[in-house]
Amino acid sequence: MNAQISAGTNRTSRRRIVVIGAGFAGMAVVHALRNSDADITLVDRNNHHLFQPFLFQVATSILEPAEIATPIRSLLHELSNVRVEMREATRIDLRRRAVLMNEGDPLAYDILVVATGAQTSYFGHELEWSQHALGLKSLGDAVAARNRLLRAFERAELEPDPMKQARDMTAVVVGGGPTGVAITGTISELAQRTLASDFRNIDLRKARIVLVQAGPRLLPAFSERHSAYAARALEAQGVEIKLGAPVTDVDATGVTVGGERIEAATVLWCTGVEGVPVARALGANVEPNGTVAVLNDFSVPGHPDCFVIGDAAHVVGRDGRPVPGLASVAQHQGRYVGKVIAARLASATPPKPYETFTPSKLATISRHVGVAEFRGRSITGYPAWLMWGLLHLRSLSGGGHAKFSILANWARLLVTYRRSGRLIVEPSELVGRRKRPEVAEDTSTETSNVVVLRP
Amino acid sequence: MNAQISAGTNRTSRRRIVVIGAGFAGMAVVHALRNSDADITLVDRNNHHLFQPFLFQVATSILEPAEIATPIRSLLHELSNVRVEMREATRIDLRRRAVLMNEGDPLAYDILVVATGAQTSYFGHELEWSQHALGLKSLGDAVAARNRLLRAFERAELEPDPMKQARDMTAVVVGGGPTGVAITGTISELAQRTLASDFRNIDLRKARIVLVQAGPRLLPAFSERHSAYAARALEAQGVEIKLGAPVTDVDATGVTVGGERIEAATVLWCTGVEGVPVARALGANVEPNGTVAVLNDFSVPGHPDCFVIGDAAHVVGRDGRPVPGLASVAQHQGRYVGKVIAARLASATPPKPYETFTPSKLATISRHVGVAEFRGRSITGYPAWLMWGLLHLRSLSGGGHAKFSILANWARLLVTYRRSGRLIVEPSELVGRRKRPEVAEDTSTETSNVVVLRP
């Protein structure tokens, strides 16, 4: 197998560092090592670094993909010691120090950083539920969710059957965390404010938007006061909230929640994450949710040359609970591991043990309402939304162009409720070329007088 | 069958006007009839009006879909007498005055306007060629073309086999008209300027970009001088131009042009259009290319209540040749037919017979080079590009937000060659959820020591 292991194009004596995943954690490691004397290979299955905190705004037509994602190559093109490979790591061979790929030769490493992040978990029902309840982890997920929601409203406008029409006008969001709360609020605004006046047959002010939370309150990571505030804010927008209501079934036409059946054309799954499969390959130290338990320096016990960071790592904070899967946390870990690796490359003394930090909590509820716990202070309403928006915008890596573009979209939304991105777009390649109508498509009972298409 | 024919939700004595197609022609008709005493139903299979002249810039990552497309509903939401239906007209029953749809009941009309536009024609090889040579008529086409081009370059970066690598670095554009010329120029700039410095293994300055034209010169609708100018400008950018070279075969790995085989991972089809099938249903007056011959007032001979306009109509200009398929021409026809219908509704005297006009010819070649024939004057270079950009931008219907956004993108491109939209995005729903890696994917010859994924 060694023969299969490529050392990259420039086979040198320099150390080979492989980073899997170009999320916040992986990018932070690479930037921390930008001046190191090593050959760095960054592997990702996508060609872009995604700013996940704004993903729900793409799903709800507020922002466009290009505003929250940047090509990895353009972010790193000045780092001459970094190579970017767009392919998917499928396996890790710790013994041989090689990463196996979905295509092409395995990649040999001297030092490996696994920053593969998390993926949507359906709690064991992936096969049955994932096709009906759309996750929200990638740009593809967001575009799919947008297409489904907009298509459902278009169908409702044409639907003569009141039952089906009601179903097409119902959206269920599963998960009462920050993402679930944010997307629920923006969906209800999309229906009631942005779209309502565009339809003639249906009244989208009557669209049914349901937020389902298995636990006893929304935003469980926040204070009870903020949970209550978020619930009030959403209910004021006409959102139905179901607490203590676990999902027991999902199918093409709706969900079953706490024994109650809800007919819904759109179901979004914003609860439950798990480690990405490749991280599970690290074996013994894998938690039930697929994350990997690591040592103080984020290395895998028994494998000092293999680090796991970000959502892929199981890290416990001061409060004894796993640290939240936030961008700031992932970046903090990435920068630290970058220092660890740099010290090792220089045979210098390693940095002092990692200290977890308590990130400020920010959540947005709707167009200009949020809650925040910032340096011990509790903030709600517009100030909290503003803080959410500006703090995130600051850390957006898309550069000035994207930042400005996002600000322009937000400003317009604040003033007019208008959203530009309400497009249903599907790459022709995937849909297949629109086939020509056939005579067989004739829906009339009597065809003699019907003009028939030429073959 | 009459029972099947719905008169729309509000069954009234008002005349029912059905417009098929929300392109430039169809939108012009609807706007011309905005104050008419009639119920207008606009049917389109997409939810957006597309500004086709800029489509090639979406395919080449300069612009984003939301910048050149606007939801039909938001464009028309103030027109209270207009209903929008997102579905596809499959058949027209002239006898019964009904339009049959891909879903739902047929739509009855008193007056019908067919503005279904044109679709890519593969000259009888649709089944074999369309999947390999991507057309460029819809947003889905543009996104598919962008994905394919960017994927090919990503593969090339990883490809050890020089033959396959060269193929992945080759793009062939078929068709030397304005679209083919424009997209060829922007692809070569994308490869040589925007992307080159982002790759480590491949040198995209050496990317092979080929423009294939069956006829003897590029831009046949322009003067010979402009054809030569365009050819020189493209060749100065390193584009290969093949004139008098008809395509005889297309497959997954390349094309055969005038007996020569060109290995190419990306083949774009920018030649040949034909009427959309539903227009063919109008039978006797259909030209070989699927367009419909019409009378002076754009009505179908023998069917004064059925009008065909835009690319779907076969209209001959003063020069005895079919009028070009330009936005300005389609809008001009739409406004005229709007007057015809308005006069008929008011039982007034119809407007004087339609007079074709000679639109100014504008073509863009690359970032800031173009050719124009404008009011008899011949312009080349940057002034022509500027005229192309500003004249088109003026007629963009996206509103100030989109216009400004486009200007910002162009300005940045002019100054830095940077493009924001270099994202490979495919809706998860269509690609299917990324399946978990299986042990079967192991590419090693010996697996005993390979850490195996947990089931």
Side-chain angles (χ1 to χ4, degrees):
Chain A
M1 162 156 173
N2 290 321
Q4 285 191 325
I5 300 178
S6 70
T9 48
N10 44 356
R11 180 179 291 277
T12 69
S13 62
R14 301 173 74 193
R15 308 287 283 281
R16 297 161 303 178
I17 302 174
V18 171
V19 178
I20 311 176
F24 292 109
M27 293 298 277
V29 173
V30 170
H31 278 289
L33 294 169
R34 61 186 304 157
N35 299 321
S36 67
D37 179 34
D39 292 324
I40 304 172
T41 303
L42 176 59
V43 181
D44 198 285
R45 61 191 186 190
N46 292 313
N47 80 327
H48 49 267
H49 166 73
L50 175 63
F51 193 76
Q52 280 199 355
F54 290 166
L55 198 54
F56 75 93
Q57 296 205 337
V58 172
T60 50
S61 303
I62 295 172
L63 298 179
E64 287 304 291
E67 292 173 315
I68 71 164
T70 317
I72 300 163
R73 297 190 181 283
S74 69
L75 288 174
L76 302 177
H77 85 281
E78 284 167 353
L79 279 57
S80 55
N81 63 334
V82 179
R83 296 174 64 252
V84 177
E85 295 189 358
M86 180 182 164
R87 46 180 181 159
E88 181 169 9
T90 55
R91 312 265 302 278
I92 294 164
D93 186 340
L94 289 166
R95 282 275 294 274
R96 290 206 167 79
R97 291 198 174 143
V99 180
L100 280 62
M101 302 289 181
N102 62 331
E103 54 192 349
D105 292 341
L107 204 52
Y109 66 82
D110 298 307
I111 297 173
L112 174 67
V113 179
V114 178
T116 45
Q119 67 183 25
T120 305
S121 165
Y122 292 86
F123 307 122
H125 295 85
E126 184 181 51
L127 291 180
E128 317 96 273
W129 294 0
S130 62
Q131 57 181 321
H132 306 305
L134 300 177
L136 201 66
K137 299 295 289 177
S138 70
L139 272 185
D141 291 344
V143 174
R146 178 197 288 192
N147 286 348
R148 182 172 297 191
L149 190 63
L150 295 177
R151 273 192 191 284
F153 291 155
E154 291 292 338
R155 276 200 311 273
E157 174 80 349
L158 293 170
E159 181 58 60
D161 175 344
M163 300 282 291
K164 292 179 181 170
Q165 191 177 54
R167 180 204 301 155
D168 284 334
M169 291 172 66
T170 304
V172 174
V173 175
V174 181
T179 303
V181 166
I183 201 166
T184 305
T186 46
I187 288 175
S188 83
E189 281 182 328
L190 175 69
Q192 298 184 0
R193 306 287 199 125
T194 308
L195 296 181
S197 65
D198 287 356
F199 289 80
R200 299 285 181 260
N201 295 348
I202 59 174
D203 180 2
L204 281 179
R205 288 174 206 79
K206 298 199 179 76
R208 186 182 181 195
I209 315 296
V210 188
L211 175 57
V212 172
Q213 165 75 315
R217 62 185 178 105
L218 302 179
L219 302 177
F222 288 66
S223 69
E224 303 230 354
R225 178 169 158 275
H226 284 169
S227 301
Y229 181 92
R232 277 198 310 277
L234 287 175
E235 278 164 350
Q237 280 181 224
V239 170
E240 272 179 63
I241 301 175
K242 299 191 178 298
L243 300 174
V247 170
T248 54
D249 190 30
V250 183
D251 59 34
T253 62
V255 295
T256 306
V257 182
E260 177 193 0
R261 168 74 179 180
I262 304 175
E263 291 281 308
T266 305
V267 180
L268 302 182
W269 193 263
C270 302
T271 181
V273 292
E274 61 185 11
V276 171
V278 66
R280 294 178 181 269
L282 297 170
N285 318 290
V286 178
E287 298 290 308
N289 69 348
T291 57
V292 180
V294 291
L295 301 176
N296 249 353
D297 63 355
F298 292 93
S299 67
V300 176
H303 299 281
D305 296 336
C306 176
F307 300 87
V308 182
I309 55 175
D311 291 351
H314 176 74
V315 178
V316 175
R318 296 194 185 115
D319 55 5
R321 288 161 53 189
V323 296
L326 296 174
S328 55
V329 173
Q331 287 167 324
H332 191 250
Q333 295 177 1
R335 284 192 293 269
Y336 177 81
V337 166
K339 286 193 200 125
V340 172
I341 294 173
R344 194 176 297 181
L345 291 172
S347 311
T349 53
K352 58 181 181 354
Y354 180 76
E355 285 186 9
T356 62
F357 75 108
T358 314
S360 48
K361 296 173 185 168
L362 299 157
T364 173
I365 297 165
S366 63
R367 194 177 58 139
H368 58 303
V369 180
V371 295
E373 293 169 19
F374 182 71
R375 293 180 184 156
R377 300 226 306 291
S378 159
I379 304 162
T380 59
Y382 185 65
W385 180 89
L386 206 61
M387 178 175 295
W388 170 86
L390 298 182
L391 284 183
H392 280 99
L393 205 54
R394 196 182 58 182
S395 55
L396 184 75
S397 47
H401 190 84
K403 286 188 173 84
F404 185 86
S405 173
I406 289 174
L407 276 175
N409 275 319
W410 285 352
R412 182 178 54 168
L413 186 69
L414 272 171
V415 178
T416 67
Y417 278 109
R418 283 194 58 206
R419 310 185 187 192
S420 50
R422 292 155 38 200
L423 307 174
I424 300 171
V425 183
E426 293 169 342
S428 308
E429 239 179 339
L430 298 174
V431 199
R433 198 141 178 292
R434 193 174 297 275
K435 69 174 187 320
R436 301 189 166 208
E438 304 298 338
V439 177
E441 286 186 16
D442 178 17
T443 59
S444 67
T445 51
E446 168 196 355
T447 64
S448 58
N449 291 337
V450 176
V451 177
V452 176
L453 291 182
R454 290 184 177 176
Chain B
M1 162 154 174
N2 289 320
Q4 287 189 323
I5 301 178
S6 70
T9 46
N10 46 354
R11 181 179 290 277
T12 69
S13 61
R14 302 173 71 193
R15 306 289 284 280
R16 298 161 303 176
I17 301 174
V18 172
V19 178
I20 311 175
F24 291 108
M27 294 296 278
V29 173
V30 170
H31 277 290
L33 293 170
R34 59 187 305 157
N35 299 321
S36 67
D37 179 33
D39 292 324
I40 303 171
T41 303
L42 176 60
V43 180
D44 198 286
R45 61 192 185 190
N46 291 314
N47 81 326
H48 49 267
H49 166 74
L50 175 63
F51 193 75
Q52 280 198 356
F54 289 167
L55 198 55
F56 75 94
Q57 296 206 338
V58 172
T60 50
S61 304
I62 294 173
L63 298 179
E64 287 304 291
E67 292 172 315
I68 70 163
T70 317
I72 299 164
R73 296 190 182 285
S74 67
L75 288 173
L76 301 178
H77 80 116
E78 283 168 353
L79 279 59
S80 54
N81 62 334
V82 178
R83 296 174 64 253
V84 177
E85 296 189 357
M86 180 182 164
R87 47 179 181 160
E88 183 170 7
T90 55
R91 310 267 300 279
I92 294 165
D93 186 339
L94 290 167
R95 282 276 294 273
R96 290 207 166 78
R97 291 197 175 142
V99 180
L100 280 62
M101 301 290 180
N102 61 334
E103 55 193 346
D105 293 340
L107 204 52
Y109 64 82
D110 299 307
I111 297 174
L112 174 67
V113 179
V114 178
T116 46
Q119 68 183 24
T120 305
S121 165
Y122 292 86
F123 308 122
H125 295 85
E126 184 180 53
L127 290 179
E128 319 94 273
W129 294 1
S130 63
Q131 56 182 319
H132 306 305
L134 301 177
L136 200 67
K137 299 297 288 179
S138 70
L139 272 185
D141 291 344
V143 173
R146 177 196 289 191
N147 286 346
R148 182 172 296 189
L149 190 65
L150 294 176
R151 273 192 190 285
F153 291 157
E154 291 292 338
R155 275 199 314 273
E157 174 80 350
L158 293 170
E159 182 57 61
D161 176 343
M163 299 282 290
K164 291 180 183 169
Q165 191 175 56
R167 181 203 301 153
D168 285 334
M169 290 171 66
T170 302
V172 174
V173 175
V174 181
T179 303
V181 166
I183 201 166
T184 304
T186 46
I187 288 176
S188 83
E189 281 183 330
L190 175 68
Q192 298 185 0
R193 306 290 198 123
T194 307
L195 295 179
S197 65
D198 287 358
F199 289 81
R200 299 284 182 260
N201 294 350
I202 59 173
D203 180 1
L204 282 179
R205 287 174 208 82
K206 300 198 177 78
R208 187 182 180 196
I209 315 295
V210 187
L211 176 57
V212 172
Q213 165 75 317
R217 62 185 179 104
L218 302 178
L219 301 177
F222 287 67
S223 69
E224 303 232 351
R225 177 168 159 274
H226 283 167
S227 300
Y229 180 91
R232 280 198 307 278
L234 288 174
E235 278 164 350
Q237 280 180 224
V239 170
E240 272 178 62
I241 300 175
K242 298 191 180 297
L243 299 175
V247 170
T248 53
D249 190 31
V250 183
D251 59 34
T253 62
V255 294
T256 307
V257 182
E260 177 193 1
R261 168 75 179 179
I262 304 176
E263 291 280 308
T266 306
V267 180
L268 302 183
W269 193 263
C270 303
T271 182
V273 292
E274 61 186 10
V276 171
V278 66
R280 293 179 181 268
L282 297 171
N285 319 289
V286 178
E287 298 291 307
N289 70 348
T291 57
V292 181
V294 291
L295 301 177
N296 249 355
D297 63 354
F298 293 93
S299 66
V300 176
H303 299 280
D305 295 337
C306 175
F307 300 87
V308 183
I309 55 175
D311 291 352
H314 177 74
V315 179
V316 174
R318 296 193 185 113
D319 55 4
R321 288 161 53 189
V323 296
L326 297 174
S328 55
V329 173
Q331 288 167 323
H332 191 250
Q333 295 178 0
R335 282 190 294 269
Y336 177 81
V337 167
K339 287 195 201 116
V340 172
I341 295 173
R344 194 175 298 179
L345 291 173
S347 311
T349 53
K352 58 179 177 6
Y354 180 75
E355 285 187 9
T356 61
F357 75 107
T358 314
S360 48
K361 296 173 183 167
L362 299 158
T364 173
I365 297 164
S366 61
R367 194 178 56 139
H368 58 303
V369 180
V371 296
E373 292 169 20
F374 182 70
R375 293 178 184 157
R377 299 227 305 292
S378 158
I379 306 162
T380 59
Y382 184 64
W385 180 88
L386 206 60
M387 179 174 296
W388 170 87
L390 297 183
L391 284 184
H392 280 98
L393 206 53
R394 196 182 58 184
S395 56
L396 185 75
S397 46
H401 191 84
K403 287 188 172 77
F404 185 85
S405 172
I406 289 174
L407 277 174
N409 274 320
W410 284 353
R412 183 179 54 167
L413 186 68
L414 272 170
V415 178
T416 68
Y417 279 108
R418 285 192 58 206
R419 309 186 188 192
S420 49
R422 293 155 37 201
L423 307 174
I424 300 171
V425 184
E426 293 169 343
S428 307
E429 233 177 344
L430 297 175
V431 254
R433 198 140 177 290
R434 194 174 297 276
K435 69 177 188 320
R436 303 192 164 206
E438 303 298 340
V439 177
E441 287 187 14
D442 177 17
T443 60
S444 68
T445 53
E446 169 196 354
T447 65
S448 58
N449 292 336
V450 176
V451 178
V452 177
L453 291 181
R454 290 181 177 180

